[in-house]
Amino acid sequence: MQRLEAESQLSYGDLDRALSRKEIIEGIRDVDGLLCLLTDQIDAEVMDANPNLKVVSNYAVGFNNIDVQAATQRNIAVTNTPGVLTDCTADMAWALLMCSARRVLEGDQLVRSQKWGGWEPLQLLGAEISGATIGFVGFGRIAKATAKRAKAFDMQILYWNRTRLSEIEERQLGVQYRPFDDLFPECDFVSVHVALTDQTHHLLSKRQFALMKSTATLINTARGPVVDEEALAEALQAGEIAAAGLDVYEHEPVVHPALFKLPNVVLAPHLGSATVQTRTKMGTLAIDNCLAVCRGDRPPNLVNTQWKSFGDGGSKE
Ligand code: GLV
Ligand code: GLV
């Protein structure tokens, strides 16, 4: 905030809560750039509140909250914060995986209840992580960083991705490709890492849970709507899959009520990038992106690459 205050004329909302749609529309009427959060829906109507808006800088790597096509039509640059949160989010995926496989939360509750009677041979038995098979749905930066962690646990690593890696890269990373439907039956852990688009909405639903092992765990640190939450709750209730570790939800901050009742589910409140170091880097990048466009430069992390800077003949000179 100090840097923005020094380098721009800044107006901002109440820092302790999300802005309403109306507040965003009112607030951006006279600005050059909007620096927004992943909880802000930035669509055509919002953009039309200010025909001079030059940039929508998202404080997130995911940008499903922004209508990129509408922005491109209006020659508004859309930027995000890739790279700086890769390891941090992979750590979170790993935390959820370990926490659900080893039933850490259930154990914590048992100890806190002060009803724990001491060590028992069959108490809270979980799933072995070392040597297990993990499958990645989507294999971009964050999935690859998570696979690196899996490698250290001697896991077999499978992936599905819209475009397959080169054979050389597969060999270098020690990963094997599977067609989408073939991925699920083999995995002890399935970790979701695709961006949310029209094509990936409910990519994992009833059918995929039926294909998974009854001992398998689902991890989602990507975006909630990629997973059909109702179908997931049913699959967990029916024992079709064993457990889930979730950082994201279909209708945040609302969570499917059935999930609260399931002890085999770990529920985190969208904390993937939530470390002091990473959030600081994301802020720096979001500011860099926003100010670059306002100066007339190409920003470091442009999402809509068709966008033309003013020097390149783009409008809004
Ligand atoms: C967090 O969810 C992000 O997309 O940065
Ligand atoms: C467990 O604590 C063991 O000693 O095996």
Side-chain angles (χ1 to χ4, degrees):
M1 298 306 285
Q2 281 167 2
R3 192 177 148 209
L4 278 174
E5 238 146 22
E7 297 184 38
S8 68
Q9 269 185 9
L10 184 61
S11 67
Y12 55 88
D14 186 327
L15 294 175
D16 286 336
R17 62 172 180 84
L19 292 174
S20 70
R21 181 180 177 79
K22 197 159 163 270
E23 288 170 320
I24 294 174
I25 288 177
E26 291 303 320
I28 68 164
R29 286 205 196 281
D30 298 314
V31 303
D32 295 307
L34 168 64
L35 199 158
C36 62
L37 309 181
L38 64 89
T39 44
D40 301 325
Q41 298 301 320
I42 310 301
D43 56 20
E45 193 200 346
V46 173
M47 295 174 202
D48 286 338
N50 177 0
N52 297 314
L53 188 67
K54 296 186 176 83
V55 54
V56 176
S57 167
N58 213 29
Y59 179 73
V61 66
F63 47 82
N64 54 288
N65 57 309
I66 300 168
D67 185 339
V68 176
Q69 200 186 341
T72 304
Q73 281 163 358
R74 290 159 180 76
N75 202 36
I76 296 169
V78 176
T79 65
N80 67 341
T81 61
V84 294
L85 46 67
T86 302
D87 280 316
C88 187
T89 308
D91 286 345
M92 190 65 197
W94 209 253
L96 290 172
L97 184 149
M98 296 197 73
C99 196
S100 42
R102 298 307 301 273
R103 306 178 66 176
V104 175
L105 292 192
E106 289 169 88
D108 178 274
Q109 273 177 10
L110 177 59
V111 175
R112 267 174 219 276
S113 74
Q114 300 183 38
K115 291 189 184 120
W116 179 42
W119 191 93
E120 287 175 29
L122 301 181
Q123 188 169 68
L124 286 175
L125 302 189
E128 189 90 6
I129 299 167
S130 298
T133 297
I134 187 167
F136 290 94
V137 176
F139 208 58
R141 272 181 297 249
I142 297 169
K144 283 177 187 164
T146 311
K148 201 162 124 187
R149 287 148 179 77
K151 198 138 212 75
F153 283 73
D154 298 320
M155 294 173 88
Q156 192 194 359
I157 303 166
L158 310 178
Y159 80 97
W160 167 84
N161 196 50
R162 195 175 41 169
T163 44
R164 192 175 165 172
L165 307 184
S166 68
E167 263 179 58
I168 296 172
E169 200 178 357
E170 284 182 2
R171 224 171 315 126
Q172 274 168 352
L173 297 173
V175 302
Q176 295 173 47
Y177 173 82
R178 291 286 184 275
F180 189 63
D181 280 353
D182 295 348
L183 182 76
F184 300 97
E186 284 187 68
C187 297
D188 301 304
F189 299 92
V190 171
S191 195
V192 180
H193 297 274
V194 289
L196 174 60
T197 64
D198 290 343
Q199 288 74 43
T200 62
H201 182 264
H202 284 192
L203 186 63
L204 269 70
S205 188
K206 219 175 154 61
R207 194 178 130 67
Q208 287 70 40
F209 300 130
L211 286 171
M212 280 166 71
K213 288 185 189 176
S214 60
T215 50
T217 299
L218 177 78
I219 307 299
N220 189 5
T221 53
R223 282 291 181 271
V226 173
V227 174
D228 178 344
E229 207 165 283
E230 174 84 35
L232 173 64
E234 280 170 16
L236 286 161
Q237 275 166 329
E240 223 165 16
I241 69 170
L246 306 175
D247 192 39
V248 289
Y249 304 88
E250 195 168 346
H251 305 289
E252 291 176 22
V254 175
V255 175
H256 195 295
L259 296 177
F260 298 133
K261 301 196 192 88
L262 296 168
N264 48 339
V265 181
V266 178
L267 305 170
H270 204 147
L271 296 177
S273 65
T275 66
V276 174
Q277 294 85 343
T278 291
R279 288 283 163 85
T280 304
K281 288 180 197 158
M282 286 166 65
T284 301
L285 217 48
I287 294 171
D288 288 346
N289 284 321
C290 195
L291 294 182
V293 178
C294 293
R295 277 196 307 266
D297 297 335
R298 208 174 167 83
N301 306 105
L302 187 61
V303 168
N304 48 351
T305 48
Q306 311 96 308
W307 174 83
K308 282 200 177 73
S309 68
F310 321 121
D312 280 343
S315 59
K316 295 175 196 163
E317 196 104 30

